[in-house]
Amino acid sequence: MNPLGHIDLRVRNLEAATPFYDALLPLLGFTERYHGGDWKVWATTDPTPEAAYFAVTEDPAHAANANRIALQVTSTAEVDRVAAAAQEAGATLSGPKEMPYGPGYYAAYFDDPSGNRLEVYVRPA
């Protein structure tokens, strides 16, 4: 069972965040969209209870902090692909690069348009 049910993330500007996440989240398996007025939601196609949701909503007072959302993929090529999409969507990257968190740990780090910190990584078994 997938232990991640959903992420509800605040952004300063929903109009700026939506194209960023539209470019990024489908590459990570969040291919279904349930966009309403106040919320933009991307979901996996897994049946319940395995389905996961990533949602953003606007809070003009939102202040990004040191928290990071790390999203795991299955290969270094996928890290590279997602990192390239994030960069094309306007993010500044740190990486992709190997990290000292264990053999083969390979990651890219970047911020969304509101400064929320994200990571995409692979950690081989």
Side-chain angles (χ1 to χ4, degrees):
M1 181 167 164
N2 176 6
L4 173 66
H6 60 275
I7 294 171
D8 292 343
L9 186 65
R10 278 29 180 192
V11 297
R12 284 189 303 269
N13 183 312
L14 193 56
E15 189 174 316
T18 300
F20 177 84
Y21 285 108
D22 268 339
L24 183 72
L25 291 174
L27 298 176
L28 296 163
F30 295 88
T31 56
E32 299 296 312
R33 289 176 177 85
Y34 303 100
H35 293 354
D38 293 337
W39 287 90
K40 304 299 181 194
V41 179
W42 295 262
T44 64
T45 59
D46 301 314
T48 305
E50 288 83 19
Y53 299 85
F54 195 112
V56 298
T57 193
E58 186 170 284
D59 177 357
H62 171 70
N65 56 40
N67 293 324
R68 177 182 305 131
I69 298 171
L71 301 159
Q72 185 169 241
V73 296
T74 59
S75 70
T76 58
E78 284 187 74
V79 171
D80 293 342
R81 183 171 60 106
V82 174
Q87 188 170 36
E88 284 180 30
T92 301
L93 298 177
S94 174
K97 58 189 174 186
E98 289 193 22
M99 297 300 294
Y101 306 136
Y105 195 106
Y106 182 77
Y109 304 88
F110 49 92
D111 295 349
D112 77 359
S114 294
N116 294 308
R117 297 172 54 177
L118 301 164
E119 172 186 353
V120 61
Y121 74 98
V122 62
R123 178 185 300 170

